[in-house]
Each structure stands twice: as C-alpha cells, then as structure tokens.
Amino acid sequence: MPVDRDRWNACRFDPASDAGHYESYFQRANHPTRPLAWWIRYTVFCPKGQPENAVGELWAIWFDGERGSIAAAKQVVPWERCAFARDRLDVRVGEATLDDRGLRGAAVGAAHAFAWELTYESPEPPLLLLPANLYAGGFPKAKSLVGSPNAAFTGTITVDGEAHAIDGWVGSQSHNWGARHTDRYAWGQVAGFDGAPDSFLECATARLKFGPLWTPPMTLLVLRHGGEQYALNSLWQAVRARGEVAIRGPEFEWRLASQTREVAVEARIWARAPPSSGSRTATRPAGSRPASTARSPAASCACAGRGSRRSSCAAIAPPSRC
C-alpha cells in the first residue's frame, strides 16, 4: 500500500500551462447513526487555453435525511487569492484553508451560507483507485485517489446560522485532478459497513468517448476489509468487470462485480433520488455537465476468497455510511 500521503496529495496544477486543468480536494463524512452528512471541496479550475482565467472554488453541501433537505453553496475566488502546494496538502482558497490536520473556512452561495472548522485524522495510508503507474501519464484524463481513508472528523459546520456538532464522523479526504472529467461515470465510496466498521470501499464505473465511439463500461474497485486490500483496478480487470447503473424514475441502483483467480467482489449501491436534486458544474475545461445527488444511499458488499481455503465476508452499509 502507498504510504507517502504528501506525495499523493501534492497539487498537480501548473499555472503556466494552457492545457486546461481541474483539481479538487474534497472532504466528506457521515453521522454514525443518523442520515446526516456533509461534503466540502476546495478546487482550482483553469479553462483550456486560458491560464489567465484560472480561479479557485469552494463547494459545500449539507445532507439532512431527517428533514428531507439538501443545502449547497459554491463560491468562486480569484486565483490571486489562492495557493496550492506542489509538495504536500496545503491549500488556501480565499480565507479558507485545508491541510493534513484540518480545514477551516466559509462559503456563501445564492441560497445558502456555510462556515466550517474541523480537524481530522486517518489511521490508514492513501488508497489508489487506479494502478500507481497511471497517475503520472496522460491516460486516463481524470485521476482520483483517497488521501485519508476512514478519516474521523471533529468540529463544527454551520449552515445558514445553524451550528452542527461533528464529533468523530467518519469519511475521507480525497483528491482528484485532470484535463477533463470522465465522459460518463458513476463513483461510490463507503466508509464502514455494519459489522465491519473499519472496512472501506472505493469504486467507479466509467465509459470513455473516443471520437464517435464509446468504450464499454469499465469498473474499478478497491476494497479494504479484515486487514487486507483487494485492488481490482487494472485496465484489463476493469474491462472484464461488470458495472450496471439503472435509473428507474426516482430509484437508482448500481451493481458491480469483479473477480480474479484469487478473489471475487460484488457490490450494490442503491438510493431513492430526491426531486430536483440536479446541479450544474463547470469544473472541466471542456464545458459543463449535470451532476445529481442521491438521497439516503445504502450499499452492500460481498467478498469471497477462492481456492481450497475459501473465506468470505458480507456486509451492509446503511444510509449513514455512504
């Protein structure tokens, strides 16, 4: 497993390049038992061919499944007021800061206002969704990893003047970047399952477009469970794996399955989407794309070893973990 957290969290953005770039550090966590969650992102966005128009962005979302509400805010900050370290996690977007110990800041959007002051710690090394050698090359265009899996956050998040105590909520500190987002994809993360609170699942199903042609769905999956890591994430394995996303009215279901000679992993993530949950984001140089958020997702995962000494595990993550 990779252990150099500074290396994997270092910023890749070159302000002198005109290639186009987005890069985000996003932190998220869930209440341990209630359907409450938050997501905060620090981003640099540079349009292709326009390095002089680079900006920093702050995104914040509060999910309240008890009230059936989602509050979100986005604030754009001039690049002159931003700093992203090239050798470690050390970010400043306006007055908001993020490092390997905590995050502090505020964001005001069109309808909601946020403020946060949080510390966190993670007992685990970074988790790579891709094979390590693919992070330095040009393919794929989008890179993603988890800098601090199973991070425990403590502090306060204030939404529209209402303070929420965050006391040991578990989630992650994650990092992604690239020249453009993946053309079509589903991404999922589960920090802890019932009966397996230290397990962690990171997964994605994606399709890439080359001219008029689309690739078949490719599924990447990394599961940590019982002190072991099952990285089913090579490009060949991604093509062989199964990933099926179905949206039927308000219902969302995503089934994944990947296996080798040594192990087989199956997962299911499902949710009921809230009405009007879509938003627009312009964080890729190629333009804007819709993004939607599912309400109260849940997940299940099964992992089975193969061979004469067959072992297995099965676990379910309720809405408070996904």
Side-chain angles (χ1 to χ4, degrees):
M1 296 183 188
V3 296
D4 190 347
R5 208 182 306 273
D6 286 344
R7 171 192 174 193
W8 295 109
N9 271 329
C11 181
R12 271 63 172 181
F13 177 52
D14 179 3
S17 173
D18 63 357
H21 189 83
Y22 75 91
E23 189 156 2
S24 295
Y25 296 89
F26 60 98
Q27 294 60 235
R28 69 99 184 168
N30 301 69
H31 190 282
T33 59
R34 299 166 61 191
L36 305 173
W38 57 266
W39 180 84
I40 295 174
R41 187 171 83 173
Y42 294 64
T43 293
V44 54
F45 171 61
C46 181
K48 185 177 181 179
Q50 305 174 52
E52 70 280 4
N53 291 330
V55 296
E57 298 174 345
L58 295 168
W59 297 62
I61 304 179
W62 176 260
F63 303 88
D64 190 331
E66 295 175 338
R67 299 176 181 176
S69 65
I70 300 174
K74 173 189 173 183
Q75 183 171 333
V76 178
V77 178
W79 179 247
E80 294 74 20
R81 298 179 54 210
C82 302
F84 287 70
R86 298 290 298 273
D87 60 349
R88 64 192 184 282
L89 178 56
D90 190 357
V91 173
R92 177 174 54 82
V93 178
E95 301 302 317
T97 58
L98 166 69
D99 58 28
D100 60 1
R101 297 177 301 277
L103 56 155
R104 181 177 184 179
V108 178
H112 300 282
F114 285 72
W116 58 88
E117 187 164 359
L118 300 160
T119 60
Y120 70 93
E121 57 182 11
S122 169
E124 299 184 18
L127 181 152
L128 306 185
L129 184 59
L130 296 168
N133 64 299
L134 292 184
Y135 285 90
F139 180 84
K141 296 293 185 182
K143 314 290 198 295
S144 181
L145 60 88
V146 187
S148 298
N150 279 331
F153 292 84
T154 300
T156 303
I157 295 179
T158 301
V159 184
D160 297 331
E162 182 180 1
H164 303 273
I166 310 300
D167 185 12
W169 293 25
V170 175
S172 68
Q173 172 268 309
S174 299
H175 180 200
N176 62 19
W177 70 91
R180 58 178 294 160
H181 282 301
T182 304
D183 297 288
R184 291 181 179 174
Y185 69 96
W187 168 86
Q189 183 184 96
V190 182
F193 292 85
D194 283 353
D198 297 327
S199 296
F200 192 94
L201 173 67
E202 183 89 354
C203 53
T205 295
R207 298 186 69 191
L208 308 180
K209 189 177 183 182
F210 296 93
L213 302 178
W214 287 90
T215 67
M218 298 180 289
T219 293
L220 303 165
L221 186 154
V222 181
L223 172 67
R224 288 182 179 172
H225 178 78
E228 299 288 337
Q229 174 169 292
Y230 305 96
L232 306 182
N233 62 348
S234 70
L235 293 181
W236 171 242
Q237 184 66 34
V239 173
R240 294 178 65 242
R242 188 179 84 242
E244 300 172 352
V245 176
I247 301 176
R248 304 179 184 90
E251 303 292 338
F252 170 87
E253 182 181 47
W254 177 19
R255 290 182 177 271
L256 310 92
S258 187
Q259 66 180 46
T260 66
R261 292 181 179 179
E262 292 75 31
V263 67
V265 178
E266 295 185 3
R268 174 177 177 249
I269 297 175
W270 68 97
R272 183 176 177 85
S276 303
S277 63
S279 61
R280 300 295 298 187
T281 171
T283 55
R284 63 168 184 163
S288 64
R289 67 187 299 119
S292 62
T293 303
R295 173 182 292 167
S296 300
S300 65
C301 183
C303 174
R306 295 178 177 273
S308 59
R309 296 184 63 185
R310 181 182 179 90
S311 62
S312 65
C313 69
I316 295 178
S320 60
R321 301 283 181 82
C322 304

